[in-house]
Amino acid sequence: ENKPGAGGQLAAQALKAAAPDGNTLFLSHDHSISILPQVVKTPGFDPARAFVPVVGFATFVDAFAVSGGTPAKSFPDYVAWVRGQGGKGAVGVPAPASVPEFLVKVIGEKYKLDLVSAPYRGSAPMMADMLGNQIAAGVGSIPDFIEHHRSGKLRVVGVLGSARQAVMPEVPTFSELGLSGFEDVPYYGLFAPTGTSRAAIDTISAAVAKVLARPAVRERLTAMGLTVEHMGPDQLGQRERTYTATWARIIKATGFVPQ
């Protein structure tokens, strides 16, 4: 059942209210689990208390891309171009108070640019404006950008994470570009209501592992720009805690006040 809206809050609240019988799971990623509870005063759920990790199946990275109408061919080119525009620019982000928004703020501070985040209601409308050259740059996930990057309709000029991505090895990491601190990568995983039995959790984790072992599944996910990785409940829980702690430091450093 798809429950979109409010950055995953509606789906998360539905999971919180579900019976812990192993029949209701929440397929989510870093924003709803690690970021949103830190930037919203009353999200309606506390992941540490309401949910338990079940299984992780992939990681991915966010990327910085420029529109086709932007003359920049690389990230340094983009920085130089913005400086030539008076040092001011707008960068699209798929949601307010998200990892992309904080990245834009850090980039602006690092390079002494007056960059403003332009929040959209999801990546689709942001991509439409980028493809229409209504906005010069945007931050989103690799799956958001990969097809348009391959076709040349826009250019990904930098990726987060500790290593270049297999689907676009020509694009440098921000660490290579001199912007460190973004090496922890976000994740996709399944979560269950607290109280769900370990037996049920282990059964689901083992089933997902079997699916991920299928070459066709791995190829499909990899082609989408995901890095396939089976993480048992303990591994997913550790990744969640590490990622949450990393972004707690970054969010605090930006001076952001929960809305």
Side-chain angles (χ1 to χ4, degrees):
E1 180 181 0
N2 190 24
K3 282 187 172 291
Q9 278 180 266
L10 301 184
Q13 290 167 8
L15 182 73
K16 178 182 175 182
D21 55 11
N23 292 320
T24 302
L25 303 170
F26 180 32
L27 191 160
S28 189
H29 54 61
D30 65 299
H31 180 71
S32 300
I33 299 295
S34 293
I35 306 300
L36 195 147
Q38 301 190 61
V39 298
V40 175
K41 283 185 178 179
T42 55
F45 64 97
D46 177 356
R49 295 184 178 184
F51 310 147
V52 291
V54 177
V55 59
F57 59 87
T59 59
F60 64 98
V61 300
D62 286 313
F64 191 101
V66 296
S67 301
T70 307
K73 303 296 183 184
S74 66
F75 185 75
D77 284 352
Y78 171 77
V79 171
W81 178 74
V82 173
R83 286 175 176 159
Q85 305 295 309
K88 296 183 178 182
V91 181
V93 298
S98 58
V99 166
E101 180 173 322
F102 292 117
L103 176 62
V104 171
K105 185 174 181 63
V106 172
I107 288 174
E109 292 174 349
K110 167 76 174 179
Y111 296 98
K112 305 296 189 293
L113 302 175
D114 184 8
L115 293 182
V116 176
S117 293
Y120 287 80
R121 292 190 174 185
S123 59
M126 180 188 78
M127 294 297 300
D129 275 3
M130 290 186 70
L131 292 171
N133 294 318
Q134 299 300 308
I135 192 165
V139 180
S141 68
I142 292 290
D144 290 335
F145 292 134
I146 187 168
E147 291 303 325
H148 297 303
H149 174 78
R150 286 171 173 166
S151 68
K153 293 180 180 179
L154 54 76
R155 292 181 293 278
V156 175
V157 294
V159 298
L160 277 67
S162 59
R164 295 193 181 200
Q165 296 300 294
V167 292
M168 47 181 70
E170 72 281 5
V171 180
T173 67
F174 274 103
S175 293
E176 293 177 71
L177 295 167
L179 192 64
S180 61
F182 298 97
E183 290 74 33
D184 283 334
V185 295
Y187 51 83
Y188 272 108
L190 295 172
F191 297 83
T194 294
T196 302
S197 72
R198 181 65 187 229
I201 290 172
D202 287 344
T203 297
I204 296 166
S205 178
V208 171
K210 289 181 179 179
V211 172
L212 293 179
R214 297 177 181 174
V217 173
R218 298 183 72 87
E219 290 169 9
R220 179 87 178 268
L221 294 175
T222 299
M224 292 169 60
L226 301 176
T227 298
V228 179
E229 177 183 353
H230 176 265
M231 294 170 275
D234 297 330
Q235 290 174 289
L236 177 59
Q238 182 58 52
R239 184 179 289 274
E240 174 200 341
R241 289 188 293 272
T242 299
Y243 188 85
T244 300
T246 293
W247 280 96
R249 293 191 295 270
I250 294 172
I251 292 169
K252 182 178 181 180
T254 65
F256 181 85
V257 178
Q259 304 297 312

